[in-house]
């Protein structure tokens, strides 16, 4: 198996933290996003979506989304369960994970990629060029605030995002690089707990 990674990017970090929680290590290849290596012809043959992470299995099949890769790892190495040990828990965890990806991860990305000069004609990840839309900076920031508020309220009742154990939903939320407000006490408590785990150092 070969894991296509980029040390500094948040999406591959989700997979690295997932692997670390499982206690698994995988051969890793760095893809230099800073130098646009994801757009090289060679990498395009591995992942036509020109993004990381990607996981190449021993039979040549390539998985190319964080969530797909994590599901594969969970099925191959069920313990400790990070996507629910029974059908109901799995459904609940994936509901939360999808919400965090859509409302949090993508909202932060919307604000960031429509603002940063380095993404001028690359506002969306992938093989196609998309111009930045400045209005999306404001909308992305507002959506991020609404998301952080929702997460803070959820964590008032749950130690981890989906209950009493860490799950993929915590890992997805951890890599949303936004500092909580001081008064978001539940979110702050959860952040310090999750940041203290060895798997968060990946
Ligand atoms: N839905 C994909 C998104 C992957 C993604 O956005 N990867 C970013 C790094 S965090 C990337 O490859 N960016 C390349 C680019 O900006 O051209 C996943 O979860 O794996």
């Amino acid at each position: 198996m070969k894991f296509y990674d980029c040390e500094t990017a948040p999406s591959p970090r989700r997979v690295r933290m997932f692997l670390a929680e499982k206690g698994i290590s995988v051969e890793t290849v760095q893809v230099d996003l800073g130098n646009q290596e994801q757009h090289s012809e060679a990498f395009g043959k591995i992942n036509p979506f020109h993004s990381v992470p990607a996981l190449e299995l021993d039979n040549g099949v390539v998985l190319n989304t964080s969530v797909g890769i994590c599901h594969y790892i969970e099925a191959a190495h069920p313990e400790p369960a990070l996507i629910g040990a029974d059908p109901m828990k799995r459904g609940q965890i994936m509901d939360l994970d999808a919400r965090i990806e859509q409302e949090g991860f993508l909202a932060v990305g919307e604000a960031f990629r429509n603002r940063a000069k380095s993404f001028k004609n690359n506002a969306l990840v992938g093989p196609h060029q998309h111009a930045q839309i400045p209005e999306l900076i404001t909308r992305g920031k507002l959506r991020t605030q609404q998301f952080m508020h929702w997460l803070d309220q959820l964590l008032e009742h749950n130690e981890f995002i989906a209950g009493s154990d860490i799950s993929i939903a915590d890992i997805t939320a951890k890599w949303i690089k936004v500092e909580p407000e001081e008064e978001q006490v539940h979110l702050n408590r959860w952040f310090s707990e999750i940041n203290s785990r060895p798997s968060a150092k990946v």
Side-chain angles (χ1 to χ4, degrees):
M1 250 180 357
K2 218 181 263 180
F3 178 56
Y4 292 88
D5 190 7
C6 171
E7 259 175 14
T8 51
S11 299
R13 273 189 166 137
R14 288 166 66 182
V15 176
R16 291 209 302 273
M17 187 167 178
F18 195 92
L19 286 165
E21 285 288 335
K22 293 274 186 190
I24 299 168
S25 58
V26 173
E27 185 191 347
T28 296
V29 178
Q30 289 297 322
V31 180
D32 186 351
L33 298 189
N35 282 320
Q36 303 293 308
E37 198 187 340
Q38 74 276 29
H39 291 298
S40 69
E41 205 185 321
F43 187 67
K45 286 189 182 137
I46 295 159
N47 180 8
F49 290 95
H50 297 273
S51 61
V52 286
L55 183 70
E56 189 174 7
L57 307 183
D58 291 339
N59 64 3
V61 167
V62 177
L63 306 174
N64 56 27
T65 65
S66 315
V67 81
I69 295 169
C70 290
H71 270 272
Y72 170 80
I73 297 163
E74 179 87 354
H77 304 271
E79 299 288 337
L82 293 172
I83 316 187
D86 63 63
M88 187 193 74
K89 200 73 205 165
R90 180 164 295 204
Q92 288 176 320
I93 289 171
M94 287 317 298
D95 261 0
L96 287 162
D97 189 66
R99 186 137 323 268
I100 291 162
E101 175 151 337
Q102 288 159 24
E103 313 290 342
F105 222 80
L106 295 182
V108 173
E110 183 172 83
F112 179 64
R113 290 191 77 106
N114 284 289
R115 186 184 63 232
K117 285 202 178 86
S118 51
F119 293 124
K120 197 168 182 293
N121 284 311
N122 192 17
L124 293 173
V125 175
H128 307 295
Q129 294 210 320
H130 291 278
Q132 291 174 319
I133 302 174
E135 289 82 359
L136 292 179
I137 303 170
T138 315
R139 191 181 80 174
K141 284 183 180 163
L142 179 62
R143 289 178 60 213
T144 303
Q145 282 167 7
Q146 290 163 340
F147 167 77
M148 297 292 270
H149 176 70
W150 169 78
L151 195 56
D152 183 53
Q153 287 185 320
L154 180 93
L155 287 163
E156 181 177 358
H157 308 290
N158 290 359
E159 185 186 352
F160 292 99
I161 287 174
S164 53
D165 297 307
I166 189 169
S167 73
I168 189 172
D170 295 278
I171 294 173
T172 303
K174 194 257 172 287
W175 295 111
I176 295 174
K177 304 289 270 178
V178 178
E179 289 292 314
E181 304 285 337
E182 208 178 316
E183 62 270 20
Q184 292 177 325
V185 289
H186 314 295
L187 203 43
N188 278 300
R189 185 262 309 151
W190 171 83
F191 257 118
S192 33
E193 207 159 301
I194 212 88
N195 283 332
S196 70
R197 298 177 82 88
S199 64
K201 312 283 182 284
V202 292

